[in-house]
Amino acid sequence: MKLDKDTCEWLGCPTPLEMYQHQCALLEDELTATQKRLIEARRNIAGLVQMCDLLSTGKATAEAELKKAIDNIARLNHETWELDGKVRALESVADQRDDLFRENQRLLLELSVLRGPQP
């Protein structure tokens, strides 16, 4: 059995114009949703750029403070080295004093033995 009728005229089948209009409506909805997402993405990017700027500023500040701390550590290490030299010199003098004191005590004891008992 052959049908010569065009199926586009059947009830419930859209015409080509209606199909194009429907496709246009779908594309418009898609474009609107994409535009909303693009606006949101641009806002997010602006926030990220601002955060990056803040982090860069914070990093520069932290690096400057680190450099100051390293310089301070180097200065303190040098001062410690100088003070250590002075302490070693003072310890040497104290050792010499102790040796001289012991030698003096020994000599005094010998002298008192040589002189004999004192009346």
Side-chain angles (χ1 to χ4, degrees):
M1 199 165 123
K2 279 190 167 183
L3 293 176
D4 292 77
K5 293 184 178 182
D6 190 9
T7 57
C8 291
E9 296 173 2
W10 290 0
L11 185 62
C13 286
T15 64
L17 178 62
E18 290 172 333
M19 288 182 359
Y20 289 132
Q21 288 173 339
H22 180 67
Q23 185 66 29
C24 285
L26 289 174
L27 289 172
E28 284 176 354
D29 289 344
E30 233 178 273
L31 284 173
T32 303
T34 303
Q35 192 172 20
K36 286 179 184 177
R37 280 190 263 158
L38 180 63
I39 289 169
E40 185 179 328
R42 284 181 177 158
R43 252 189 256 127
N44 288 342
I45 290 170
L48 290 172
V49 167
Q50 186 179 14
M51 287 171 59
C52 182
D53 289 342
L54 289 172
L55 289 173
S56 294
T57 303
K59 179 184 174 218
T61 303
E63 285 175 342
E65 289 177 8
L66 177 63
K67 185 181 180 329
K68 285 180 187 176
I70 288 171
D71 292 343
N72 193 27
I73 288 170
R75 180 185 58 80
L76 290 173
N77 282 339
H78 182 71
E79 287 178 11
T80 301
W81 177 77
E82 287 178 346
L83 289 174
D84 188 46
K86 290 178 182 178
V87 167
R88 277 188 306 232
L90 289 174
E91 285 175 347
S92 174
V93 168
D95 288 343
Q96 290 172 4
R97 182 207 62 206
D98 292 343
D99 289 342
L100 289 174
F101 181 76
R102 281 190 294 274
E103 181 67 18
N104 189 23
Q105 292 301 315
R106 186 187 64 77
L107 290 173
L108 282 174
L109 182 63
E110 282 182 19
L111 185 62
S112 67
V113 169
L114 287 175
R115 283 188 183 168
Q118 295 290 327

